[in-house]
Amino acid sequence: MSSKKLLSVVVTVVILLSLTLITAQERTDITYNVDATKPEDKTITVIMSINNLPDEDITISMPAWSPGSYHIENLAKNVKNVTASKNNKPLEITQLDNQSWLIKKGKGNGSVIIFYEITKEKDDFNEEHLELMGPSTYMYIVGYKDSPAAVFFKVPDGWEIATGLSSVGDGYIARDYDTLIDSPAELGKFKKYEFTIGSTKYEVVEHIAEKVKTEKFDNDTLLENVRKIAKYQTDLFGGAPFDRYVFLFHFTEGRRGWGLEHLNSTSIHFGMEGIKSELKYFSDIVAHEFFHAWNVKRIRPRVLGPFDYTKEIRTNALWLSEGVTSYYGDLTLVRTGIWQEEDFIHSLSRSIDALQYNPDRLVTSAEKSSWTAWDKKEGPSISYYTKGELLGMLTDLRIRGLTNNKRTFDDVMQFLYRWFVLGGGGSIGVGFEEGDIERAISSISGISFKDFFQKYVAGTVELPYDEILPYAGYKLSREKVMIPDFGEYSGTTIYTIPKGSPAEAAGFKEGDRISDVNGKKVTRVNYNELFKSLKEGEEVIVRVSRKKDGGDWNREDIDVKFKVVLKEKLEYSIKTIDNPSEEQLKIRNSWLGK
Ligand SMILES: [Zn+2]
């Protein structure tokens, strides 16, 4: 496509936009034309056209981070050839810093056209598809993030488009920049499945990479699980905060799975080998990401929206936003029958064991761990996912135990949704502040959680499993077991390699995360059984994910040969007590959704 043709498209777009957005004449609006027709170049081009912008100097910027991933990414590093023009005349443009450009627009409201290219990774953009993430695609105009935006995609023949954005004519619209970039898109050839719950439409989009196309997995069960999860969580909150929700699933090589939450969509990557053997575990990712549509996207710390993309935005509540989301992911699976009680208890037991073997639990609180999510950490560090999940469980069981099951964490979540989202602030609510969560839990349960929060959320006191688990007829058992000596480790993360140890001799390093043993994927669900099955003297290949250049986000896979040496440890796990009372059984069954 020539640039002339593109310009005429831009003009059409401008007309369409002014018809569809019904905005006041003076309102600044922005249209993005994304051209993805040249996968062979691994480059997409973006043309921004901006109308009604009064400023003489404008600054355009790429976000320094993506909502949901709390680290600075320098997304502008893949941007090149940035140019700007007005009335077909080039404008002076200067790069200000890593992510910003200054454009000398001059007087007058005439449309400004900005052109740039983005280099993509081969997995994200190739002959099959483009996986488009908002923050690494769309620049914003500083001071105008609340302006409405429209986007048009140009794709190779035969490709389709899936996104959570609302479609109008041939394009899509977003009420503001935050909405635009929180709506990823899958462009390519994919399968699409649809269902409705109440008046909400759901789409499940499956892009299966060419390399794994011939592999078979249980897609019927996966789709059924997605539907069960969506139904359960929507019912829990008494309705969905969107008319339409899109699950963007990518099936690729390998065994790992990960996801990122968005306003009314989620993008999830499934390693084909993993989903073939552990569909239950992978359903947990779906349950976690979907729950985020409420918890963090709408029930959120006040600083997380509207977003400041220029720097780290710290909150001490990620234990709630991420950890309690994991807790509800687990609860959803057991209450919908996707997991059995054993799976659920096993998952929580592994989290307890991982936390109890992490020495940082006595140093870093759940709040501090949340606050420092952005920072590079040396040595062991607790996870706000794990500790938050356990705080969710303990809070829930304490409320249930002390109210004779009349109140639960479900009541708290429903209250938070009513108060901070439905109560005002528009589609993303008003956000909560320091102290609000403790006050909400105390007032909903009628029990003071002040001391609990001081000790276990803001403090580093050992979690009160022995006091709280019995409310549901459980106890924490501590049993001697033999495990391989990979050094000092918690869960699958090695935090210390003692001098002269077998782990040091084998070549393990501090910070390594064990991902495979003899080609079998290690998950947070199966690691314990897998490790315990290894025999003294056995030769194994242990694949670890190792920090590269000291950064936690930049890792590489390393295979370590290890002749197994066993050592003793006390293993923590949740067990049922003998002869539970009727009260305990009532709480347990209600908790499990029986
Ligand atoms: Zn999450």
Side-chain angles (χ1 to χ4, degrees), residues 68 259-261 288-289 292 296 321-323 325-326 385:
L260 189 61
E261 68 276 12
H288 176 103
E289 299 306 338
H292 270 317
V296 93
S321 299
E322 289 296 347
T325 296
S326 287
Y385 286 87

Side-chain angles (χ1 to χ4, degrees), residues 252-526:
T252 54
E253 282 180 307
R255 304 186 185 87
R256 290 188 193 148
W258 70 93
L260 189 61
E261 68 276 12
H262 302 286
L263 266 181
N264 63 325
S265 59
T266 177
S267 48
I268 298 181
H269 286 250
F270 296 113
M272 188 56 97
E273 281 175 62
I275 196 149
K276 274 161 67 179
S277 56
E278 302 205 54
L279 187 63
K280 268 191 204 177
Y281 166 69
F282 281 85
S283 301
D284 201 18
I285 306 175
V286 178
H288 176 103
E289 299 306 338
F290 189 65
F291 196 76
H292 270 317
W294 289 270
N295 197 28
V296 93
K297 282 295 150 197
R298 291 168 176 90
I299 302 166
R300 60 182 174 83
R302 192 158 293 171
V303 291
L304 294 184
F307 292 100
D308 177 348
Y309 299 106
T310 62
K311 59 174 197 284
E312 299 91 335
I313 299 302
R314 293 175 192 271
T315 160
N316 56 22
L318 292 183
W319 66 270
L320 178 89
S321 299
E322 289 296 347
V324 171
T325 296
S326 287
Y327 172 61
Y328 266 93
D330 295 353
L331 273 182
T332 299
L333 297 185
V334 71
R335 288 177 181 172
T336 52
I338 296 170
W339 278 8
Q340 301 307 307
E341 179 180 352
E342 309 83 85
D343 301 314
F344 176 65
I345 293 301
H346 180 77
S347 172
L348 290 169
S349 295
R350 298 288 50 82
S351 294
I352 293 174
D353 197 67
L355 182 66
Q356 293 311 116
Y357 276 91
N358 191 328
D360 189 45
R361 78 190 185 285
L362 301 173
V363 179
T364 303
S365 69
E367 287 190 345
K368 180 143 187 247
S369 162
S370 304
W371 189 261
T372 55
W374 298 81
D375 305 333
K376 274 188 187 174
K377 288 165 191 162
E378 295 298 328
S381 62
I382 61 155
S383 153
Y384 47 81
Y385 286 87
T386 309
K387 188 152 186 193
E389 178 191 28
L390 296 173
L391 285 168
M393 171 189 78
L394 293 170
T395 303
D396 197 359
L397 292 181
R398 183 166 188 264
I399 297 172
R400 287 169 183 270
L402 297 178
T403 64
N404 196 17
N405 210 45
K406 286 195 178 63
R407 287 279 181 268
T408 75
F409 210 131
D410 297 354
D411 297 308
V412 174
M413 290 311 305
Q414 288 157 5
F415 170 80
L416 294 174
Y417 183 50
R418 280 200 307 275
W419 190 264
F420 290 106
V421 185
L422 300 180
S427 59
I428 58 163
V430 293
F432 57 80
E433 290 196 275
E434 183 88 44
D436 283 343
I437 299 305
E438 184 270 306
R439 278 192 290 277
I441 293 173
S442 296
S443 93
I444 289 301
S445 63
I447 298 154
S448 173
F449 269 78
K450 217 180 169 92
D451 185 53
F452 182 98
F453 265 65
Q454 258 162 24
K455 282 181 178 159
Y456 310 122
V457 181
T460 56
V461 178
E462 292 277 23
L463 294 182
Y465 311 107
D466 295 325
E467 176 197 326
I468 290 176
L469 287 172
Y471 287 132
Y474 294 106
K475 63 182 178 192
L476 187 66
S477 92
R478 297 146 172 95
E479 249 171 67
K480 267 186 201 165
V481 295
M482 298 302 285
I483 56 162
D485 191 353
F486 300 132
E488 305 294 322
Y489 57 103
S490 135
T492 59
T493 305
I494 300 173
Y495 55 82
T496 311
I497 305 285
K499 282 261 171 294
S501 65
E504 186 189 47
F508 290 105
K509 296 267 184 291
E510 289 177 10
D512 281 356
R513 287 189 202 137
I514 300 167
S515 63
D516 296 57
V517 174
N518 279 343
K520 189 161 170 39
K521 180 186 158 65
V522 174
T523 69
R524 69 181 181 85
V525 177
N526 76 0

Side-chain angles (χ1 to χ4, degrees), residues 71-102:
H71 65 283
I72 297 294
E73 293 173 273
N74 188 17
L75 295 168
K77 67 179 183 294
N78 298 318
V79 174
K80 55 186 184 186
N81 299 331
V82 187
T83 59
S85 63
K86 194 173 90 176
N87 304 327
N88 282 329
K89 290 197 185 72
L91 295 173
E92 190 188 327
I93 182 163
T94 329
Q95 184 154 7
L96 295 175
D97 54 37
N98 270 346
Q99 61 238 17
S100 309
W101 288 260
L102 175 72

Side-chain angles (χ1 to χ4, degrees), residues 161-184:
I161 297 162
T163 173
L165 289 172
S166 310
S167 68
V168 174
D170 297 336
Y172 299 85
I173 52 170
R175 87 170 68 79
D176 51 27
Y177 180 77
D178 282 359
T179 307
L180 175 72
I181 70 162
D182 210 357
S183 305

Side-chain angles (χ1 to χ4, degrees), residues 229-258:
I229 289 164
K231 170 98 174 70
Y232 174 77
Q233 294 184 359
T234 304
D235 287 349
L236 178 73
F237 285 101
F242 36 71
D243 305 325
R244 209 174 129 250
Y245 188 95
V246 185
F247 294 91
L248 298 168
F249 289 170
H250 303 272
F251 297 83
T252 54
E253 282 180 307
R255 304 186 185 87
R256 290 188 193 148
W258 70 93

